[in-house]
């Protein structure tokens, strides 16, 4: 008797959870490896002696250093913001596959400029902005592409592969910085060129691999290319075209297309749809989820990990990079737990609640330890000894990374890729993804000043926000685990707090899956009864 790691309450046959759909998710997630690597490698690269020398950062004041670090790091988020916001027309007109291919080429151009900067700060910043455009575009398209090709029972797991790849790329970025610091002399430019050039590898793999992947069947249906959509579904599900499951899935897509009149919706109508009942609540949840994801404080460690460990009293570039490497391992383990088990068995809603409350505890401890012991000042005066409380603070950093990635990191991307209506899904995801990068920019830009000015208060600030997020998730985030993309419309047609309480009443029934389907059946019965009544009135 095996262990089931897929969502319950679906009618998915075993055949749809095949190797092919997993491989497609892995190929598309090469973009996430590039995204995770690029966001993580820059903090360690800034700490390398060779980089500081070649870019004239060695004699800068603390304030000037904070400004330059903020500019170098946050320029990437600016590019990601605009890449996510303005790519959706490309993905809507030419398809998900071609848009992903185009985004990989843009990223490769930016990565090449960063690698060839040769001490020119302007070229480095330009390269990061262009790379950000490519990463922002792919961060918009890839989760939607995976969600639109996935069966409901493992949709969360497959989108989770995107996040595992992101954290795996981040872990590689941390350890590669440590490796080049230990093995390449700081007299050589190769010490900082090597980590920046390696980001090109996942970009090339994405550009080549996506050529062999199919187009999204739902995008093909939107373009009225039903025969191609059917062929793709047959290929993805490894089931014959006359199989009941394939016919039902095509039927659900066709039904939603007819209900939404998606083939003829103008841009003005798409914009108006954002504010209609059943859509505006989804947009608001998506915007808040992406903001909250960044306000957990994770990016203060991801982007400035050497600075963070410096506040815990760790001195020396190699030692700080070594400690940062284990943070990358903790985050990757958290994402594996999320994708393999938590997202489909525990669910989206519970994961957000548990992650917020439990994840705040390490932040509170780190803030309390820095307040009480002031390890950075002690280390600067020559006292580098650490007691058990100091080592526990380091463990809390790793524990926080694991908890965050097992919950808020992955769930936000999964949730925002699955809840929006088909006819304006790409527009909605563009808005929420741009929102994510906006808050990432805001946090990364202000973090150096927060660390310098607030010290221990930085950790307590983000710890407090996580508690608030936990209460918000409890009252306003309905469960979507196990629902088809087409069933999301029925879930969100009611107010979110009513959907939450309806889910709680039916929590023994697969977290609301049956409740939503029962609601659909009730609506159908009401429609049938209404038609019958009208016929009787007409006969009378």
């Amino acid at each position: 008797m095996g262990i089931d790691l897929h969502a319950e309450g679906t009618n998915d046959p075993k055949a749809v959870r095949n190797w092919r759909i997993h491989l497609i998710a892995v190929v598309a997630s090469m973009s996430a490896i590039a995204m995770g690597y690029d966001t993580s490698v820059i903090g360690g690269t800034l700490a390398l002696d060779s980089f500081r020398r070649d870019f004239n950062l060695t004699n800068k004041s603390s304030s000037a250093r904070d400004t330059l670090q903020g500019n170098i790091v946050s320029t990437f988020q600016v590019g990601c913001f605009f890449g996510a916001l303005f790519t959706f027309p490309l993905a809507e007109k030419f398809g998900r596959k071609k848009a992903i291919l185009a985004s990989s080429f843009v990223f490769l151009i930016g990565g090449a400029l960063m690698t060839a900067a040769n001490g020119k700060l302007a070229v480095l910043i330009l390269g990061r902005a262009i790379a950000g455009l490519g990463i922002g575009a792919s961060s918009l398209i890839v989760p939607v592409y995976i969600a639109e090709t996935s069966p409901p029972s493992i949709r969360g797991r497959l989108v989770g592969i995107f996040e595992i790849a992101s954290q795996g790329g981040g872990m590689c970025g941390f350890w590669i910085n440590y490796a080049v610091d230990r093995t390449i002399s700081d007299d050589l430019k190769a010490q900082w060129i090597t980590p920046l050039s390696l980001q090109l590898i996942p970009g090339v793999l994405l550009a080549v691999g996506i050529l062999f992947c199919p187009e999204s069947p739902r995008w093909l249906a939107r373009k009225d290319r039903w025969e191609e959509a059917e062929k793709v579904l047959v290929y993805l599900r490894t089931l014959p075209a006359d199989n009941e499951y394939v016919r039902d899935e095509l039927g659900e897509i066709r039904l939603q297309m007819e209900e939404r009149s998606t083939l003829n919706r103008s841009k003005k109508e798409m914009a108006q749809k954002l504010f209609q009942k059943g859509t505006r609540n989804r947009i608001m949840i998506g915007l808040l989820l992406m903001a909250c994801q960044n306000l957990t404080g994770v990016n203060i460690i991801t982007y400035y990990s050497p600075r963070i460990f410096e506040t815990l009293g760790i001195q020396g570039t190699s030692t700080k990079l070594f400690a940062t490497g284990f943070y990358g391992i903790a985050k990757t383990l958290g994402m594996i737990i999320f994708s393999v088990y938590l997202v489909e068995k525990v669910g989206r809603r519970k994961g957000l609640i548990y992650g917020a409350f439990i994840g705040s505890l390490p932040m509170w401890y780190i803030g309390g330890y820095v307040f009480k012991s002031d390890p950075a000042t002690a280390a600067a005066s020559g006292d580098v000894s650490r007691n058990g409380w100091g080592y526990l603070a380091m463990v809390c950093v790793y524990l926080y990374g694991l908890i965050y990635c097992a919950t808020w990191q992955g769930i936000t991307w999964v949730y925002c890729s699955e809840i929006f209506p088909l006819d304006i899904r790409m527009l909605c995801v563009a808005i929420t993804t741009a929102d994510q990068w906006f808050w990432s920019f805001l946090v990364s830009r202000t973090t150096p000043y927060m660390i310098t000015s607030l010290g221990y208060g930085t950790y307590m600030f983000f710890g407090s926000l996580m508690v608030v997020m936990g209460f918000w998730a409890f009252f306003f985030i309905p469960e979507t685990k196990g629902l088809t993309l087409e069933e999301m419309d029925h879930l969100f047609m009611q107010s979110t707090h009513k959907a939450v309480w309806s889910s709680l009443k039916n929590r023994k029934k697969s977290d609301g899956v049956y409740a939503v389907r029962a609601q659909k059946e009730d609506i159908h019965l009401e429609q049938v009864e209404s038609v019958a009544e009208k016929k009787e009135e007409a006969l009378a």
Side-chain angles (χ1 to χ4, degrees), residues 433-505:
T433 304
D435 181 57
Q436 194 275 338
W437 290 115
F438 167 76
W439 284 98
S440 180
F441 163 78
L442 196 64
V443 172
S444 65
R445 193 69 184 82
T446 58
T447 289
Y449 304 104
M450 292 181 70
I451 296 172
T452 301
S453 303
L454 298 181
Y456 71 89
T458 305
Y459 306 101
M460 292 186 172
F461 172 73
F462 288 113
S464 301
L465 288 178
M466 291 187 74
V467 174
V468 175
M469 294 173 203
F471 284 108
W472 172 69
F474 180 85
F475 287 107
F476 294 104
I477 299 293
E479 182 59 73
T480 59
K481 172 172 67 77
L483 298 177
T484 67
L485 295 180
E486 288 68 35
E487 286 172 331
M488 299 295 174
D489 289 346
H490 297 275
L491 176 64
F492 286 98
M493 278 307 292
Q494 56 185 324
S495 62
T496 53
H497 72 278
K498 287 183 179 179
V500 167
W501 288 114
S502 175
S503 174
L504 289 174
K505 289 177 183 178

Side-chain angles (χ1 to χ4, degrees), residues 70-375:
N71 289 339
I72 294 171
V73 171
S74 62
T75 306
F76 178 76
Q77 278 75 39
V78 173
C80 289
F81 173 83
F82 288 106
L85 193 59
F86 296 123
T87 303
F88 87 92
L90 180 68
E92 289 291 85
K93 184 175 182 179
F94 299 105
R96 315 322 192 203
K97 180 177 175 178
K98 291 180 180 178
I100 293 172
L101 181 63
S103 69
S104 67
F105 286 136
V106 173
F107 169 74
L108 289 173
I109 293 172
L113 284 173
M114 280 189 274
T115 304
N118 195 29
K120 297 183 177 70
L121 199 59
V123 176
L124 177 72
I125 292 175
L126 176 63
R128 281 189 62 76
I130 294 174
L133 287 173
I135 291 298
S138 63
S139 69
L140 158 69
I141 306 162
V142 171
V144 172
Y145 173 74
I146 296 175
E148 289 185 345
T149 55
S150 303
S153 59
I154 55 171
R155 186 176 60 243
R157 181 199 305 172
L158 294 178
V159 177
I161 291 175
F162 177 83
E163 285 301 324
I164 289 179
S166 175
Q167 299 309 321
M171 179 180 67
C172 290
F174 289 138
W175 283 107
I176 286 172
N177 272 327
Y178 174 73
V180 298
D181 183 66
R182 298 287 295 178
T183 60
I184 301 178
S185 171
D186 57 17
D187 293 328
L188 302 174
K189 294 180 180 179
Q191 189 187 51
W192 64 265
I193 291 177
T194 300
L196 292 183
S197 63
L198 289 176
Q199 67 186 309
L200 300 174
I201 295 176
V204 172
L205 292 176
L206 175 64
V208 174
I210 199 65
L211 295 173
F212 300 95
C213 295
E215 182 54 83
S216 162
R218 287 170 170 82
W219 180 82
L220 291 169
R222 284 200 61 196
K223 297 300 178 181
D224 206 23
R225 294 158 60 176
W226 289 99
E227 289 185 7
E228 293 176 67
E230 181 182 75
K231 289 180 181 178
V232 171
L233 274 180
V234 168
Y235 176 78
L236 294 173
R237 305 295 181 249
T238 63
L239 293 170
D242 59 356
N243 183 272
E244 183 181 0
Y245 182 87
V246 174
R247 306 316 307 168
D248 287 346
E249 186 169 4
L250 271 176
E252 285 191 352
I253 296 172
R254 189 182 296 274
L255 179 62
Q256 190 185 53
M257 298 284 284
E258 291 172 353
E259 289 177 350
R260 300 290 181 179
S261 301
T262 56
L263 296 177
N264 300 311
R265 191 177 290 279
S266 67
K267 292 181 179 180
K268 182 179 179 181
E269 290 173 331
M270 290 174 69
Q272 291 174 340
K273 176 70 180 294
L274 294 175
F275 301 97
Q276 292 178 3
K277 180 182 178 181
T279 303
R280 58 176 179 262
N281 56 346
R282 288 185 254 190
I283 287 288
M284 186 57 65
I285 287 176
L287 291 173
L288 288 174
L289 276 175
M290 288 303 190
C292 289
Q293 185 197 57
N294 285 279
L295 292 174
T296 56
V298 65
N299 285 335
I300 70 170
I301 302 175
T302 300
Y303 292 129
Y304 300 100
S305 43
R307 289 282 305 276
I308 296 300
F309 284 106
E310 187 178 298
T311 67
L312 297 180
I314 298 176
Q315 299 295 304
T317 301
S318 292
T319 307
K320 286 184 283 189
L321 292 176
F322 183 75
T324 298
F326 282 103
Y327 176 68
I329 292 176
K331 291 182 70 179
T332 304
L333 287 175
M335 277 313 310
I336 292 173
I337 293 170
F338 162 79
S339 297
V340 173
Y341 176 76
L342 190 143
V343 67
E344 298 296 7
K345 301 303 290 184
V346 176
R348 284 65 153 156
R349 180 176 179 275
K350 290 180 180 177
L352 291 173
I353 296 169
Y354 295 154
F357 289 128
I358 299 174
S360 69
L361 298 178
M363 278 292 191
W364 285 107
Y365 178 82
I366 296 170
Y369 171 73
V370 173
F371 170 73
K372 180 70 175 177
S373 302
D374 195 9

